[in-house]
Amino acid sequence: MTEQGFAIAVVGLMLFLFGLVIGVRLGEELSKRCITTRQYWLANLAVFGAGIVCSAVVVAIGLVVGSAVVIGLLGGTIAGLKFGFGESTGPWKVHDKAFNVNKGQMAAARSGRAEQNRRRRAEGGPEPELMSVETGGTSGDAKTEKGSHKG
């Protein structure tokens, strides 16, 4: 009996990790549709609702190990939504401030530029330039090329 229990635990852990990875990707894709914080929180509610329905189905069927996939998908999707959204909001803002993490997302939330970037991305506009590369000459007359890297 203990060997069988160990095997079920290992399979459950593998299914949980599988659900987590798929959920993060799902959340990132879902976050591309969220421009405002209201849309973000509605997406979170939809994910929770889908998680509740999936959990009920898994329990009704009797697949105890299948609940690991549902929990992994739920956690991964919520995390993917948060990181794909690019702004600290709600309980995440409290979390990020308390643990002093995601400073870029907190700054984006304060300045309001996160929503501008999401709106630009949704409309198909150009991404903001984050890096400029300097190519130097022999006498110190450097030329700056924005957005390109020549190696």
Side-chain angles (χ1 to χ4, degrees):
M1 276 297 191
T2 60
E3 294 168 357
Q4 185 181 15
F6 180 73
I8 290 173
V10 169
V11 169
L13 182 61
M14 288 173 50
L15 289 173
F16 171 77
L17 292 175
F18 175 73
L20 197 64
V21 170
I22 298 299
V24 168
R25 180 71 176 139
L26 212 63
E28 287 175 350
E29 287 298 317
L30 188 58
S31 71
K32 290 179 182 177
R33 299 179 186 171
C34 302
I35 295 173
T36 64
T37 53
R38 182 178 186 276
Q39 291 172 332
Y40 168 76
W41 287 109
L42 287 174
N44 269 295
L45 285 174
V47 168
F48 274 114
I52 290 169
V53 169
C54 289
S55 294
V57 169
V58 167
V59 168
I61 293 173
L63 295 174
V64 177
V65 178
S67 63
V69 174
V70 174
I71 293 170
L73 277 170
L74 185 61
T77 306
I78 291 168
L81 262 171
K82 191 257 193 241
F83 289 115
F85 189 64
E87 180 179 343
S88 293
T89 179
W92 288 113
K93 186 183 288 188
V94 174
H95 170 271
D96 293 347
K97 189 174 182 179
F99 292 104
N100 198 22
V101 294
N102 296 327
K103 294 175 187 175
Q105 290 189 358
M106 290 186 63
R110 281 192 299 271
S111 69
R113 68 179 150 77
E115 186 170 335
Q116 294 170 354
N117 290 342
R118 288 190 301 270
R119 195 170 302 282
R120 184 182 317 118
R121 183 177 54 213
E123 293 170 354
E127 290 289 323
E129 299 220 13
L130 302 175
M131 178 192 309
S132 63
V133 177
E134 191 170 290
T135 58
T138 57
S139 62
D141 55 337
K143 295 179 184 177
T144 302
E145 297 178 12
K146 291 196 175 257
S148 66
H149 175 68
K150 295 183 180 182

